[in-house]
């Protein structure tokens, strides 16, 4: 007598029809619900149709499933907020420069073990429920419903979510120039469809091309010589300072002016440096940073024509990512790098190169200025101890950000105190490149800046006039209007004759009145983020606009 055939285990995934692809789509629906996907509804519907297409025999079923695996993986990646292949390839040469310990740290942060655990629980539930429920029908209906809803465009609330506006302003006190900020705002009355948002962005860039800071041809005979020191800090945003509880550090009390709603417009160092050196013109797109521009756009060139000697100082080598070369080629900063000989190393960078002691560098700058016969200088000073992956000397583990930031703040505090004691007339501008992304979000993990979100580009900018005859105000003048690089150039042009240092009284409110205001638009190579109708919107790789998930 023949033995009965042993039935196949019902809990195993079967690959007939949708089969195991049901779980694939259910995972996507779950991630979509919690805002972790930029779901391309029509593309997924086409993929579903491909999987459901009737085939005459088992062999074709198997071939289709094997073909579908790479397609499904690629579509899943495409639906996430992860950087695309173009972005990864463009950063490939830089990844090769990372130390092995830093790469391992990034991989560990990239893997979300909580999400993996949740996925395992969902898999067990799916294997259990699929024995009694026709999951394929449920998945098909859900995907059809999402496509119908998605026809309304990005302005339609697809799923219940929290308010999409991040808290980008830490000081909400009314300021005298708030009315001017509203008056200069671009029209945002149109519904936030992809077409309208693209038209708004194009209009923004077209408008910015018309803006140029007016500098005088020559300085008046009674002008007072002084120095300009721009301190360009890598990886510091208002969000980072708040997370690290450094918002009340004594450093902030030194400033005469604080731009509370300043947008750095990018999430990476090279573009940030170029934008700052080209600050005398309106904001350009990312691609235009690497194209020739009007000579009037170069801030340091404008100052050099008025007798300011250009200087360059860094606490690193500038080799990684061709940073120094980009400053020279695209920012037109040709000054020789100030010597780092004799300066001790404080940290080891993510690429295993030394990060020199900023306290010693700043004191060297002050000592050399005291000895120099140059009447006027303009110094660009870039420093990176807060960059992700920086570690203590001799260690392979990334050092905690807060102690690094506190040390840097202490060094800046000491330098500004010594500067006051020296009596030198110096306009100091603290201008961070971008934030450190201490807190990740649904779009990218902690430390990743491929997407220039408001928490990354909303940076603290402080201006101090050391050596003024006029008494300093008890509290800094805070500017609440949306500002960016053009405001810095304009502020420099207002004081370039140095009379602010000789005046018996200086009204900072008058000095900052009607500074050029810039709407919040930030861009990296493959991502654009902008504020529209009080909410952040994002476009990746030239695709459709979607609300930034919170």
């Amino acid at each position: 007598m023949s033995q009965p055939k042993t039935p196949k285990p019902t809990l195993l995934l079967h690959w007939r029809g949708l089969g195991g692809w049901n779980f694939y789509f259910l995972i996507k629906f779950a991630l979509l619900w919690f805002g972790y996907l930029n779901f391309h509804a029509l593309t997924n519907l086409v993929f579903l149709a491909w999987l459901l297409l009737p085939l005459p025999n088992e062999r074709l079923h198997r071939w289709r499933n094997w073909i579908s695996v790479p397609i499904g993986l690629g579509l899943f990646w495409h639906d996430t907020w992860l950087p695309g292949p173009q972005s990864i390839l463009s950063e490939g040469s830089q990844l090769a420069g990372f130390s092995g310990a830093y790469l391992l740290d990034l991989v560990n942060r990239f893997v979300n073990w909580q999400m993996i655990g949740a996925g395992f629980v969902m898999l067990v539930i799916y294997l259990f429920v699929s024995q009694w429920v026709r999951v394929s029908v449920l998945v098909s209906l859900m995907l059809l419903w999402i496509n119908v809803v998605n026809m309304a465009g990005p302005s339609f609330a697809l799923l219940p979510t929290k308010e999409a506006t991040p808290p980008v302003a830490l000081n909400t006190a009314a300021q005298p120039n708030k009315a001017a900020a509203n008056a200069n705002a671009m029209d945002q009355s149109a519904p936030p469809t992809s077409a309208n948002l693209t038209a708004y962005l194009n209009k923004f860039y077209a408008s910015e091309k018309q803006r140029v800071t007016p500098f005088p041809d020559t300085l008046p005979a009674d002008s007072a010589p002084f120095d300009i020191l721009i301190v360009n800090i890598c990886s510091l945003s208002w969000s980072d300072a708040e997370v690290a509880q450094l918002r009340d550090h004594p450093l902030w009390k030194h400033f005469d002016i604080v731009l509370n709603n300043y947008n750095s417009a990018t999430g990476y160092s090279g573009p940030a440096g170029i934008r700052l050196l080209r600050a005398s013109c309106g904001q350009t797109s990312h691609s235009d940073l690497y194209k020739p521009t009007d000579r009037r756009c170069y801030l340091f060139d404008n100052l050099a024509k008025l007798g300011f000697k250009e200087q360059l100082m860094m606490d690193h080598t500038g080799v990684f990512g061709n940073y120094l070369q980009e400053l020279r080629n695209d920012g037109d900063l040709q000054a020789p790098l100030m010597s780092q000989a004799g300066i001790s190393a404080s940290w080891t960078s993510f690429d295993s190169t030394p990060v020199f002691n900023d306290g010693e560098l700043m004191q060297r700058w002050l000592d050399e200025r005291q000895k120099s016969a140059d009447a006027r200088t303009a110094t660009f000073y870039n420093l990176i101890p807060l960059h992700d992956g920086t570690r203590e000397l001799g260690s392979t583990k990334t050092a905690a950000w807060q102690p690094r930031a506190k040390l840097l703040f202490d060094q800046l505090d000491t330098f500004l105190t010594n500067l006051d004691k020296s009596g030198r007339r110096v306009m100091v501008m603290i201008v961070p490149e971008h934030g450190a992304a201490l807190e990740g979000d649904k779009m990218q993990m902690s430390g990743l800046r491929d997407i220039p979100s408001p928490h990354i580009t909303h940076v603290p900018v402080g201006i101090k006039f050391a050596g003024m005859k006029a008494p300093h105000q008890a509290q800094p003048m805070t500017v609440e209007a949306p500002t960016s690089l053009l405001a810095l150039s304009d502020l420099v042009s207002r004081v370039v004759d140095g009379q602010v240092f000789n005046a018996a009284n200086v009204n900072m409110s008058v000095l900052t009145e009607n500074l050029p205001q810039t709407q919040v638009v930030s861009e990296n190579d493959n991502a654009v983020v902008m504020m529209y109708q009080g909410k952040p919107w994002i476009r990746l790789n030239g695709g459709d606009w979607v609300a930034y998930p919170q």
Side-chain angles (χ1 to χ4, degrees), residues 116-129:
I116 290 176
F120 176 73
V121 172
M122 286 187 62
L123 175 61
V124 173
I125 294 175
Y126 165 74
L127 293 174
F128 183 75
V129 172

Side-chain angles (χ1 to χ4, degrees), residues 104-177:
L104 184 62
D105 181 37
L106 290 176
V107 170
N108 186 54
R109 272 187 271 166
F110 182 81
V111 178
N112 189 324
W113 297 106
Q114 290 182 336
M115 293 298 295
I116 290 176
F120 176 73
V121 172
M122 286 187 62
L123 175 61
V124 173
I125 294 175
Y126 165 74
L127 293 174
F128 183 75
V129 172
S130 63
Q131 298 178 81
W132 297 281
V133 178
R134 295 297 298 271
V135 182
S136 297
V137 176
L138 179 63
V139 165
S140 300
L141 291 175
M142 290 179 66
L143 195 50
L144 284 170
W145 176 78
I146 290 174
N147 272 270
V148 171
V149 172
N150 201 55
M151 290 178 184
S155 61
F156 192 97
L158 179 62
L159 294 169
T161 58
K162 295 181 180 179
E163 176 60 47
T165 306
V168 295
L170 300 180
N171 187 334
T172 56
Q175 298 297 327
N177 54 7

